Amino acid sequence: VQLQAYGGGLVQAGGSLRLSCAASGRTFSIYGMGWFRQAPGMEREFVAAITWIGGSTEYADSVKGRFTISKDNAKNQLYLQMNSLKPEDTAVYFCAAQLFGAISWSRGSWGQGTQLTVSS
């Protein structure tokens, strides 16, 4: 499965932005998809995830109530709607897929990342 994230940019604090991730290849093997982020000098951290079939969602405490993860199975697209953005949301955002047969982020597929910068 190949993933390509896009939609990042520069936003003022309090603003909104939607990230997208396009999946291609063996998309029938996707169990779930998610978003991670990595700020400069920090480790990559989990943001949100969604199961590909059932649509169950999970969020990091830091984004609950502000971010919404969604998907469009027909278009093989993953989205992250981000509202009430804060400067601490500034990071490179990555999309990732967990695959049937090895349901693990580390053994899944990863996109190249898209930069979000939130100015104060």
Side-chain angles (χ1 to χ4, degrees):
V1 175
Q2 293 77 48
L3 304 174
Q4 182 168 358
Y6 56 97
L10 174 62
V11 183
Q12 286 190 331
S16 298
L17 197 69
R18 189 177 81 159
L19 302 182
S20 300
C21 176
S24 61
R26 298 169 61 91
T27 56
F28 58 85
S29 65
I30 295 174
Y31 169 80
M33 294 189 71
W35 291 96
F36 291 73
R37 66 186 182 186
Q38 187 167 20
M42 304 291 286
E43 293 188 354
R44 189 173 299 186
E45 65 173 358
F46 169 79
V47 175
I50 187 168
T51 55
W52 201 239
I53 303 301
S56 297
T57 59
E58 182 182 359
Y59 294 92
D61 288 342
S62 59
V63 307
K64 279 181 182 176
R66 300 189 299 123
F67 290 11
T68 301
I69 189 170
S70 63
K71 60 184 177 66
D72 185 331
N73 292 62
K75 295 180 179 180
N76 290 321
Q77 291 273 349
L78 176 73
Y79 306 104
L80 185 68
Q81 178 65 44
M82 304 180 291
N83 299 327
S84 302
L85 284 164
K86 305 174 181 179
E88 50 264 43
D89 294 319
T90 295
V92 177
Y93 283 72
F94 299 87
C95 59
Q98 292 176 319
L99 308 177
F100 283 105
I103 301 177
S104 163
W105 295 117
S106 62
R107 297 176 64 184
S109 296
W110 288 80
Q112 84 290 0
T114 185
Q115 174 72 47
L116 169 68
T117 302
V118 183
S119 62
S120 57

